[in-house]
Amino acid sequence: PLICTLPPTCNPPFNKPTKLASSAELERHYGLFHAHVCSVKGCGAVFPDTRFLELHLTECHDSLTQVRRERGQKTVRALTCITVF
């Protein structure tokens, strides 16, 4: 069997490694839990596709978006800034 220990969902000590039966299962697992992960230190949110990851980065980690909100300008709030597993 194959064992995944990649962050953020399969790495010890906070998460259990994931056992996978085949390389096809590994590819599916990687696509769901490791392909679209927020790289901002301390975040590690996981998203189903690139579009949601990009929205998250803009809404939660983009300094220009934060400045616009502080100035009272409207911004699109498509996602809340939480970790999605």
Side-chain angles (χ1 to χ4, degrees):
L2 302 169
I3 297 175
C4 178
T5 58
L6 292 173
T9 57
C10 300
N11 63 321
F14 301 110
N15 300 300
K16 293 180 182 179
T18 302
K19 294 179 183 178
L20 305 152
S22 67
S23 59
E25 192 175 329
L26 174 63
E27 286 182 39
R28 239 182 344 269
H29 169 81
Y30 183 85
L32 288 172
F33 298 104
H34 304 292
H36 308 288
V37 178
C38 181
S39 60
V40 174
K41 187 176 182 177
C43 184
V46 179
F47 297 93
D49 60 32
T50 303
R51 187 174 125 258
F52 282 116
L53 175 58
E54 289 173 355
L55 285 169
H56 166 79
L57 289 169
T58 300
E59 290 299 314
C60 300
H61 303 296
D62 183 57
S63 56
L64 274 175
T65 301
Q66 292 173 358
V67 168
R68 288 179 181 142
R69 278 193 206 117
E70 289 170 4
R71 291 181 180 171
Q73 296 175 350
K74 290 185 178 183
T75 60
V76 177
R77 286 209 138 190
L79 298 172
T80 56
C81 300
I82 59 169
T83 303
V84 179
F85 284 93

